[in-house]
Amino acid sequence: MFKYFEKIKNDSNESFFCEIEKLSKVEFAKKNGNKPKWEQCLKDLANVEKSTLIQKQEYLFVDKEVQKQAFENLRPWRKGPYSFKNFNLDSEWNGFIKWQRIEKHLNFTNKTVLDVGCGNGYFAFLMGLKNAKFVLGLEPFLLFNYQFKAIQSLTNNTQNIAIAPLKLEQIPDCKAFDIVFSMGVLYHAKSPIEHILKLKQMLTTGGELVLETLIVEGTCGYSLTPTDRYAKMRNVWFIPSEKTLISWLKRCGFASVEVIDDSITSFEEQRKTSWIGDDSQSLEDFVEGEKTIEGYPRPRRLMLLCRVS
Ligand SMILES: C[S@@+](CC[C@H](N)C(=O)[O-])C[C@H]1O[C@@H](n2cnc3c(N)ncnc32)[C@H](O)[C@@H]1O
């Protein structure tokens, strides 16, 4: 990761990338009992000759035989799927379904991209393959950073992609990004307005924001705050109606807000697989018919393409 920063630090916004590097080092240095196991996985993969990462149907594919055990030790694999010469890594989410909703609306060529809440970088890799200049992902959950490192370590065409183990609110403001993504993060924010304003702070003039979040039916102004969990998820704070979400974005200064997708999450997109690990529950355990097990409307996600002017 730091090799990559060396490269882009020579570009504009040098102090921003130096700060990201500094903050990342602090996070990686924090105690975590799983780190030796995760570091071992990277060591186990270190002798594999690097190969080109390609997209092959829904998979991100590396044409090499790799130690399956190393990847099993990095479970749960929420995001993907990935594939190698000797096995398919079918993650809980089939991310390619979401990617197909996104890619037709954007041109990534030579663009600078920030992916907030990027998981293990599945979408960041795809953006890199679409010729983005560079992609910076933010992902506070350390395991997903190790998953990213594991995949990246096998490849020779992903050096323009990096992930930092940071939350959006930890990074300095910097109008460095042509495209900013926040997918599946807004409902985790205690202050959705501050989240949106911060996303806007990261955009270049004329930049584009792709925002994806859970929504519910309701009038303008309505938003659901679950009393506790939502579809078994902790830390869900605000699930607005479509009209409320659009009004938040307009109040925050986005002049153009276009709905590019509106989907009920299916069992095909979020599925139970062996790659989730010991806690193998998934969406099918969290919904009953049209309701979540807590009695709320079942997950429906809206994707918006927003521009400042
Ligand atoms: C539901 S997942 C979505 C992952 C991916 N963006 C996608 O659409 O499939 C949300 C991710 O955002 C991360 N996250 C939560 N709060 C965040 C924050 N404040 N800043 C950056 N990432 C955050 C979580 O750790 C988690 O991996």
Side-chain angles (χ1 to χ4, degrees):
M1 171 171 135
F2 299 117
K3 241 188 271 160
Y4 158 84
F5 279 122
E6 280 312 311
K7 187 164 157 267
I8 57 168
K9 259 164 39 189
N10 299 325
D11 291 3
S12 53
N13 305 311
E14 179 168 345
S15 62
F16 170 77
F17 289 106
C18 286
E19 187 61 16
I20 296 287
E21 184 174 353
K22 206 170 90 191
L23 292 169
S24 299
K25 277 184 178 157
V26 171
E27 292 301 324
F28 274 120
K30 284 185 180 164
K31 270 213 170 116
N32 182 318
N34 285 310
K35 258 190 344 195
K37 183 173 88 177
W38 298 338
E39 295 283 355
Q40 187 57 47
C41 297
L42 300 183
K43 283 187 195 139
D44 292 344
L45 299 170
N47 291 331
V48 181
E49 194 194 339
K50 287 187 195 304
S51 177
T52 307
L53 181 77
I54 61 165
Q55 180 221 316
K56 199 174 168 192
Q57 288 117 28
E58 74 260 45
Y59 294 104
L60 280 172
F61 175 66
V62 181
D63 196 7
K64 289 282 165 201
E65 295 223 354
V66 296
Q67 266 191 47
K68 194 173 180 190
Q69 188 63 52
F71 286 90
E72 283 172 350
N73 289 347
L74 290 171
R75 289 186 305 183
W77 286 83
R78 301 279 173 208
K79 306 296 166 179
Y82 297 94
S83 175
F84 310 96
K85 210 169 178 176
N86 49 329
F87 66 95
N88 289 338
L89 193 166
D90 285 305
S91 50
E92 179 184 17
W93 285 80
N94 180 348
F96 198 67
I97 295 177
K98 191 181 287 193
W99 179 244
Q100 286 172 306
R101 297 176 188 134
I102 301 166
E103 62 158 345
K104 55 182 179 269
H105 297 281
L106 294 160
N107 175 8
F108 289 98
T109 302
N110 215 22
K111 298 281 174 66
T112 55
V113 185
L114 178 69
D115 186 5
V116 176
C118 65
N120 61 35
Y122 176 79
F123 298 116
F125 284 127
L126 283 165
M127 294 169 201
L129 294 184
K130 285 275 178 187
N131 301 318
K133 183 177 177 193
F134 67 82
V135 185
L136 174 64
L138 300 179
E139 177 47 62
F141 194 45
L142 206 61
L143 168 64
F144 300 159
N145 287 255
Y146 276 90
Q147 293 178 348
F148 171 79
K149 281 168 180 254
I151 301 287
Q152 192 182 43
S153 73
L154 302 171
T155 66
N156 56 18
N157 61 334
T158 61
Q159 290 313 303
N160 58 337
I161 303 157
I163 289 192
L166 302 172
K167 291 188 172 180
L168 176 67
E169 46 278 31
Q170 283 176 274
I171 66 166
D173 288 352
C174 181
K175 295 191 174 298
F177 298 95
D178 301 314
I179 310 176
V180 171
F181 283 86
S182 166
M183 301 193 294
V185 188
L186 187 73
Y187 50 86
H188 290 307
K190 284 186 186 158
S191 170
I193 301 295
E194 275 176 23
H195 182 85
I196 294 169
L197 287 172
K198 180 77 184 183
L199 296 169
K200 189 165 154 254
Q201 283 303 323
M202 307 312 296
L203 279 172
T204 53
T205 310
E208 297 170 297
L209 166 69
V210 176
L211 182 77
E212 189 230 43
T213 196
L214 290 166
I215 59 157
V216 285
E217 283 295 325
T219 53
C220 188
Y222 179 75
S223 155
L224 168 73
T225 297
T227 50
D228 187 10
R229 294 191 185 202
Y230 172 86
K232 276 247 180 127
M233 273 187 287
R234 296 171 204 274
N235 299 324
V236 174
W237 293 95
F238 291 94
I239 309 180
S241 67
E242 175 177 335
K243 287 195 169 105
T244 300
L245 181 60
I246 292 173
S247 77
W248 287 350
L249 286 154
K250 295 226 159 141
R251 284 279 311 265
C252 289
F254 286 94
S256 137
V257 179
E258 185 192 345
V259 176
I260 57 172
D261 191 71
D262 180 352
S263 297
I264 305 265
T265 306
S266 69
F267 298 140
E268 188 198 356
E269 188 172 0
Q270 188 180 6
R271 66 257 165 106
K272 231 179 209 182
T273 81
S274 60
W275 288 93
I276 313 177
D278 301 334
D279 175 17
S280 63
Q281 289 195 320
S282 187
L283 184 67
E284 65 191 74
D285 304 296
F286 310 150
V287 299
E288 284 164 1
E290 293 314 302
K291 300 274 184 201
T292 70
I293 52 169
E294 301 87 4
Y296 298 117
R298 71 174 279 174
R300 172 180 164 198
R301 289 172 162 85
L302 200 69
M303 192 177 289
L304 300 162
L305 182 59
C306 317
R307 294 188 181 92
V308 181
S309 56

